[in-house]
Amino acid sequence: MAESNQQPTDNTGLTDFEEDTLAFFDAIYFEELASAAVSAPIQEDDNKKRLLRHIKGHVDARQKKLRETIRRRRQKLLQLVSHPTIIMTRDKFSFVLGVLLIMIIEFVLLVHPAQMGQLYTALLLPLMMARYIIYRADLYHYFMYDFCYYAQIMQLIQMHKYPVHSDDIRLAKAMFSIANGPLVLAVAMWRNSLVFHSLDKMTSIFIHILPALVMFSQRWQDHISKKKFPLFEDMDGTVVTALVDFWWNPFLYYVIWQTLYLIKTEIVSKKKLEYNTSIMTSLRWMLRKKTSASYKFLSRFGEHNQLPTFVCIQAAYTLATFLLCPLLWHSIWLHSIYISVIFMIALANGASYYFHVFAKQYVKEVGKLVVEEKNDNAANSSKSH
């Protein structure tokens, strides 16, 4: 490639914004170059070996410089936004916005359930964009290949192409199981919490709960509008058809995702992930501490079998979460209680976070910043005299 012969551009005279922009694109360029250098076959030719070593060394040095540049810019930005007044104002705004969104969702669900899909779409797109930007900066963006994000795409397709009241409701029933099975139960599994001032935590809540609310509104919108709430409806098929609709079909969609995920992480991006061990994946997250219960559990059959163990456990868990879904499909009461319990778990997790974690951290951090500001003001006053 012609670009491989180009030398780094001198940044002298650039503004902070221009330097940050150049650093961003340089980071992408050199990451690609590094992957190419690592994956290129090493031949016997000494010149090629020296060239590859030179490229790798050059890339490592340039990336180190870029990281330092980004670190300095990020430190300046953090100093700017770490003012106590800015922190409290931002958190107040986020808290109010989070509470308002909950109120809007409740209003639409109870008064205009047919519009729940439009609200979901309107919320999902900006939340996913914000999450990708934040996760990409922290090298967490491979989390967005996980099943819950794949399920969001399925939800959009089902909602707009194959709604519950269409002629073909196989995808709707499969999505019902996915939304009310592994997706919503992830709130309890991963201790998602309703922390209204946190964009990250509220995004996780929306990702895992909103699809279940969308499927609830699709399934029961006629009952809500007519105010008819039977305890249990007759099954619209046999036990075999129920297992196919709510167990087998959704699991096939899960298998498709798992296959695509393994192709991405173990084949397409294998060299990139091996080169940059800072990129976080779900498996790496579970194995990040050798003393953790998750590491010991996934290493039960040996460290070399951690990946297949993780895949099998995920598949078994997913299948187990589908078991209640046929009952939820046939009872609005059971479905309502089920989602309410999940919501209360998220609320309890949020309360625990606010009183046991956030309150102490918030008082400590804001108090520290206030003291630092007073000290700076005092120092400036003494200098002026």
Side-chain angles (χ1 to χ4, degrees):
M1 294 174 63
E3 290 83 352
S4 62
N5 295 323
Q6 293 178 352
Q7 298 297 322
T9 306
D10 184 11
N11 295 1
T12 305
L14 296 179
T15 65
D16 288 351
F17 176 77
E18 290 169 334
E19 187 175 349
D20 285 345
T21 303
L22 180 60
F24 174 75
F25 286 106
D26 276 354
I28 296 175
Y29 165 67
F30 281 106
E31 185 176 342
E32 297 281 341
L33 188 60
S35 299
V38 171
S39 60
I42 303 298
Q43 299 178 0
E44 296 299 326
D45 183 49
D46 291 339
N47 291 330
K48 187 160 189 175
K49 289 182 179 180
R50 285 196 296 270
L51 175 62
L52 289 174
R53 285 196 297 268
H54 172 73
I55 291 175
K56 190 177 186 304
H58 180 68
V59 168
D60 290 341
R62 179 61 177 173
Q63 283 191 339
K64 183 178 180 180
K65 182 178 179 181
L66 287 173
R67 289 193 187 98
E68 181 62 24
T69 300
I70 293 172
R71 187 193 65 80
R72 290 199 308 270
R73 296 288 174 255
R74 182 177 291 181
Q75 189 173 16
K76 288 182 180 179
L77 179 62
L78 288 175
Q79 290 175 350
L80 177 64
V81 301
S82 294
H83 192 279
T85 304
I86 294 178
I87 291 177
M88 288 186 284
T89 302
R90 180 197 64 198
D91 289 346
K92 288 177 183 178
F93 175 79
S94 300
F95 186 93
V96 171
L97 183 61
V99 174
L100 284 176
L101 283 177
I102 294 295
M103 294 173 62
I104 292 170
I105 291 171
E106 181 182 8
F107 173 78
V108 173
L109 183 65
L110 297 178
V111 180
H112 300 287
Q115 306 302 318
M116 192 66 198
Q118 284 74 8
L119 177 61
Y120 166 77
T121 304
L123 289 175
L124 182 68
L125 297 181
L127 287 176
M128 290 301 95
M129 291 175 62
R131 168 146 289 191
Y132 178 78
I133 293 171
I134 295 171
Y135 274 23
R136 184 66 179 82
D138 293 331
L139 297 181
Y140 284 179
H141 53 293
Y142 269 63
F143 280 136
M144 299 190 72
Y145 291 112
D146 285 353
F147 183 66
C148 55
Y149 297 93
Y150 167 84
Q152 309 304 314
I153 298 174
M154 282 190 61
Q155 181 68 78
L156 291 173
I157 295 173
Q158 178 275 319
M159 186 174 59
H160 293 292
K161 294 293 183 181
Y162 303 98
V164 169
H165 298 288
S166 63
D167 294 333
D168 188 352
I169 63 170
R170 288 176 297 178
L171 180 58
K173 289 183 175 181
M175 192 61 227
F176 186 90
S177 286
I178 292 171
N180 291 280
L183 217 57
V184 77
L185 285 175
V187 172
M189 179 63 66
W190 298 106
R191 292 188 59 81
N192 290 163
S193 50
L194 274 170
V195 179
F196 296 107
H197 75 279
S198 172
L199 175 63
D200 181 59
K201 293 184 182 297
M202 291 302 291
T203 300
S204 295
I205 284 289
F206 288 150
I207 288 172
H208 293 133
I209 287 185
L210 275 183
L213 295 179
V214 171
M215 295 311 303
F216 181 93
S217 65
Q218 287 189 65
R219 176 66 182 94
W220 306 112
Q221 61 181 357
D222 289 343
H223 295 69
I224 295 173
S225 61
K226 296 177 183 178
K227 297 183 179 180
K228 293 182 179 180
F229 311 110
L231 182 62
F232 198 83
E233 293 188 347
D234 294 334
M235 292 184 64
D236 51 359
T238 65
V239 174
V240 174
T241 57
L243 288 176
V244 171
D245 289 338
F246 297 103
W247 194 75
W248 177 253
N249 287 343
F251 187 67
L252 284 180
Y253 288 112
Y254 172 84
V255 170
I256 292 172
W257 163 79
Q258 185 67 87
T259 303
L260 294 174
Y261 183 86
L262 291 175
I263 290 173
K264 171 63 178 175
T265 57
E266 301 304 313
I267 299 176
V268 177
S269 299
K270 184 178 178 64
K271 294 293 184 180
K272 179 180 180 180
L273 291 171
E274 288 178 348
Y275 178 78
N276 192 347
T277 56
S278 297
I279 297 177
M280 189 61 64
T281 64
S282 294
L283 182 59
R284 285 181 175 178
W285 180 263
M286 300 285 284
L287 301 175
R288 68 191 188 281
K289 295 180 181 178
K290 288 191 175 184
T291 57
S292 66
S294 59
Y295 186 96
K296 295 176 181 177
F297 187 73
L298 292 175
S299 303
R300 184 175 295 272
F301 301 104
E303 292 187 352
H304 60 287
N305 287 322
Q306 288 172 339
L307 177 60
T309 302
F310 182 60
V311 170
C312 291
I313 290 174
Q314 264 197 320
Y317 163 78
T318 301
L319 281 172
T321 61
F322 292 153
L323 293 178
L324 273 179
C325 293
L327 298 177
L328 302 179
W329 178 268
H330 292 95
S331 174
I332 186 173
W333 286 97
L334 186 59
H335 198 187
S336 300
I337 294 171
Y338 179 77
I339 292 180
S340 298
V341 170
I342 296 295
F343 187 82
M344 284 189 287
I345 290 173
L347 196 58
N349 290 340
S352 297
Y353 177 85
Y354 271 118
F355 287 102
H356 295 292
V357 179
F358 176 75
K360 296 178 181 178
Q361 290 181 349
Y362 199 79
V363 171
K364 180 180 178 181
E365 292 299 322
V366 173
K368 180 180 177 181
L369 291 170
V370 169
V371 170
E372 289 178 354
E373 185 179 11
K374 288 181 178 179
N375 292 336
D376 290 341
N377 292 337
N380 291 333
S381 298
S382 62
K383 288 180 181 179
S384 62
H385 293 295

Coordinates of all heavy atoms in Angstrom, one line a residue, residues 63-95:
Q63 N 2.2 4.9 18.5 CA 1.0 4.7 19.3 C 1.3 5.2 20.8 O 0.4 5.7 21.4 CB 0.6 3.2 19.4 CG -0.1 2.8 18.1 CD -0.7 1.4 18.3 OE1 -0.3 0.6 19.1 NE2 -1.6 1.1 17.4
K64 N 2.5 5.0 21.3 CA 2.8 5.5 22.6 C 2.7 7.0 22.6 O 2.2 7.6 23.6 CB 4.2 5.1 23.0 CG 4.7 5.5 24.4 CD 6.1 5.0 24.7 CE 6.5 5.4 26.1 NZ 7.8 4.9 26.4
K65 N 3.2 7.7 21.6 CA 3.1 9.1 21.5 C 1.7 9.6 21.4 O 1.2 10.6 22.0 CB 3.9 9.6 20.3 CG 3.9 11.1 20.1 CD 4.8 11.6 19.0 CE 4.8 13.1 18.8 NZ 5.6 13.5 17.6
L66 N 0.9 8.9 20.6 CA -0.5 9.2 20.4 C -1.3 9.0 21.8 O -2.1 9.9 22.1 CB -1.2 8.4 19.3 CG -0.8 8.7 17.9 CD1 -1.4 7.6 17.0 CD2 -1.3 10.1 17.5
R67 N -1.0 8.0 22.5 CA -1.7 7.7 23.7 C -1.3 8.9 24.7 O -2.2 9.3 25.5 CB -1.3 6.4 24.3 CG -1.8 5.2 23.6 CD -1.6 3.9 24.4 NE -2.0 2.7 23.7 CZ -1.1 2.0 23.0 NH1 0.2 2.2 23.0 NH2 -1.6 0.9 22.4
E68 N -0.1 9.3 24.7 CA 0.3 10.4 25.6 C -0.4 11.7 25.2 O -0.9 12.5 26.1 CB 1.8 10.6 25.5 CG 2.3 11.7 26.5 CD 2.1 11.4 27.9 OE1 1.9 10.3 28.3 OE2 2.0 12.4 28.7
T69 N -0.6 12.0 23.9 CA -1.3 13.1 23.5 C -2.7 13.1 23.9 O -3.3 14.1 24.4 CB -1.2 13.2 21.9 OG1 0.2 13.3 21.5 CG2 -1.9 14.5 21.4
I70 N -3.4 11.9 23.7 CA -4.8 11.8 24.0 C -4.9 11.9 25.6 O -5.9 12.5 26.1 CB -5.3 10.5 23.5 CG1 -5.3 10.5 22.0 CG2 -6.7 10.2 24.1 CD1 -5.7 9.1 21.4
R71 N -4.0 11.3 26.3 CA -4.0 11.4 27.8 C -4.0 12.8 28.3 O -4.7 13.2 29.1 CB -2.9 10.6 28.4 CG -3.0 10.4 29.9 CD -1.7 9.9 30.5 NE -0.6 10.9 30.3 CZ -0.4 11.9 31.0 NH1 -1.2 12.2 32.0 NH2 0.6 12.8 30.8
R72 N -3.1 13.6 27.6 CA -3.0 15.0 28.1 C -4.3 15.8 27.8 O -4.8 16.6 28.6 CB -1.8 15.7 27.3 CG -0.5 15.2 27.8 CD 0.6 16.3 27.4 NE 0.5 16.6 26.0 CZ 1.2 16.0 25.1 NH1 2.0 15.0 25.4 NH2 1.1 16.4 23.8
R73 N -4.9 15.6 26.6 CA -6.1 16.2 26.2 C -7.2 15.8 27.1 O -8.1 16.6 27.5 CB -6.4 15.9 24.7 CG -5.4 16.4 23.7 CD -5.5 18.0 23.6 NE -4.4 18.5 22.8 CZ -3.3 19.0 23.3 NH1 -3.2 19.2 24.6 NH2 -2.4 19.5 22.5
R74 N -7.3 14.5 27.4 CA -8.4 14.0 28.3 C -8.2 14.6 29.7 O -9.2 14.9 30.3 CB -8.3 12.5 28.3 CG -9.4 11.8 29.1 CD -9.4 10.3 29.1 NE -9.8 9.8 27.8 CZ -9.8 8.6 27.5 NH1 -9.5 7.6 28.4 NH2 -10.2 8.2 26.3
Q75 N -7.0 14.7 30.2 CA -6.8 15.3 31.5 C -7.2 16.7 31.5 O -7.8 17.1 32.5 CB -5.3 15.2 31.8 CG -5.0 15.5 33.3 CD -3.5 15.3 33.6 OE1 -2.7 15.1 32.8 NE2 -3.3 15.2 34.9
K76 N -7.0 17.5 30.5 CA -7.4 18.9 30.4 C -9.0 18.9 30.5 O -9.6 19.7 31.1 CB -6.9 19.6 29.2 CG -5.4 19.9 29.2 CD -5.0 20.6 28.0 CE -3.5 20.9 28.0 NZ -3.1 21.7 26.8
L77 N -9.6 18.0 29.7 CA -11.0 18.0 29.6 C -11.6 17.6 31.0 O -12.6 18.2 31.4 CB -11.5 17.0 28.5 CG -13.0 16.9 28.4 CD1 -13.6 18.2 27.9 CD2 -13.3 15.8 27.3
L78 N -11.0 16.6 31.6 CA -11.5 16.2 32.9 C -11.4 17.3 33.9 O -12.3 17.5 34.8 CB -10.7 15.0 33.4 CG -11.0 13.6 32.6 CD1 -10.1 12.5 33.1 CD2 -12.5 13.2 32.8
Q79 N -10.3 18.1 33.9 CA -10.2 19.2 34.8 C -11.2 20.2 34.5 O -11.7 20.9 35.5 CB -8.8 19.8 34.6 CG -7.6 18.9 35.1 CD -6.3 19.5 34.8 OE1 -6.1 20.5 34.1 NE2 -5.2 18.9 35.4
L80 N -11.6 20.4 33.3 CA -12.6 21.4 32.9 C -14.0 21.0 33.5 O -14.7 21.8 34.0 CB -12.7 21.6 31.4 CG -13.8 22.5 30.9 CD1 -13.5 23.9 31.4 CD2 -13.8 22.5 29.4
V81 N -14.3 19.7 33.3 CA -15.7 19.2 33.7 C -15.8 18.8 35.1 O -16.8 18.3 35.6 CB -16.2 18.1 32.7 CG1 -16.2 18.5 31.3 CG2 -15.3 16.8 32.9
S82 N -14.6 18.8 35.8 CA -14.6 18.3 37.2 C -14.9 19.4 38.2 O -14.8 19.2 39.4 CB -13.3 17.7 37.5 OG -13.1 16.5 36.8
H83 N -15.3 20.6 37.7 CA -15.7 21.6 38.7 C -16.9 21.2 39.4 O -17.8 20.6 38.9 CB -15.9 22.9 37.9 CG -16.1 24.1 38.8 ND1 -17.2 24.4 39.5 CD2 -15.2 25.1 39.2 CE1 -17.1 25.5 40.2 NE2 -15.8 25.9 40.0
P84 N -16.9 21.4 40.8 CA -18.1 20.9 41.6 C -19.4 21.4 41.0 O -20.4 20.6 41.0 CB -17.8 21.5 43.0 CG -16.3 21.6 43.0 CD -15.9 22.0 41.6
T85 N -19.5 22.6 40.6 CA -20.8 23.1 40.1 C -21.2 22.4 38.8 O -22.4 22.1 38.6 CB -20.7 24.7 39.8 OG1 -20.2 25.3 41.0 CG2 -22.0 25.2 39.3
I86 N -20.2 22.2 37.9 CA -20.5 21.5 36.7 C -21.0 20.0 37.0 O -21.9 19.5 36.4 CB -19.3 21.5 35.7 CG1 -19.0 22.9 35.3 CG2 -19.6 20.6 34.5 CD1 -17.8 23.1 34.4
I87 N -20.3 19.4 37.9 CA -20.7 18.0 38.2 C -22.1 17.9 38.8 O -22.9 17.1 38.3 CB -19.7 17.4 39.3 CG1 -18.3 17.2 38.6 CG2 -20.2 16.1 39.8 CD1 -17.3 16.7 39.6
M88 N -22.4 18.8 39.7 CA -23.8 18.7 40.3 C -24.8 19.1 39.3 O -25.9 18.5 39.3 CB -23.8 19.6 41.5 CG -23.0 19.1 42.7 SD -23.2 20.0 44.2 CE -22.1 21.4 43.9
T89 N -24.6 20.1 38.5 CA -25.5 20.5 37.4 C -25.8 19.4 36.4 O -26.9 19.1 36.1 CB -25.0 21.8 36.7 OG1 -24.8 22.8 37.7 CG2 -26.1 22.2 35.7
R90 N -24.7 18.8 36.0 CA -24.8 17.6 35.0 C -25.6 16.5 35.6 O -26.5 15.9 35.0 CB -23.4 17.2 34.6 CG -23.4 16.0 33.7 CD -22.0 15.4 33.7 NE -21.7 14.8 35.0 CZ -20.5 14.4 35.4 NH1 -19.5 14.7 34.6 NH2 -20.3 13.9 36.6
D91 N -25.3 16.1 36.9 CA -26.0 15.0 37.5 C -27.5 15.3 37.8 O -28.3 14.4 37.6 CB -25.3 14.6 38.8 CG -23.9 14.0 38.6 OD1 -23.7 13.6 37.4 OD2 -23.1 13.9 39.5
K92 N -27.8 16.6 38.1 CA -29.2 16.9 38.3 C -29.9 16.8 37.0 O -31.0 16.3 37.0 CB -29.2 18.4 38.8 CG -28.8 18.5 40.3 CD -28.9 20.0 40.7 CE -28.4 20.2 42.1 NZ -28.3 21.6 42.5
F93 N -29.3 17.3 35.9 CA -30.0 17.3 34.6 C -30.2 15.8 34.2 O -31.3 15.5 33.7 CB -29.1 18.0 33.6 CG -29.6 17.9 32.2 CD1 -30.7 18.7 31.7 CD2 -29.1 17.0 31.3 CE1 -31.2 18.6 30.4 CE2 -29.6 16.9 30.0 CZ -30.6 17.7 29.6
S94 N -29.2 15.0 34.4 CA -29.3 13.6 34.0 C -30.3 12.9 34.8 O -31.1 12.0 34.3 CB -27.9 12.9 34.1 OG -27.0 13.5 33.3
F95 N -30.4 13.2 36.1 CA -31.4 12.6 37.0 C -32.8 12.9 36.5 O -33.7 12.1 36.4 CB -31.2 13.0 38.4 CG -32.0 12.3 39.4 CD1 -31.6 11.2 40.1 CD2 -33.3 12.8 39.7 CE1 -32.4 10.5 41.0 CE2 -34.1 12.2 40.7 CZ -33.6 11.0 41.3

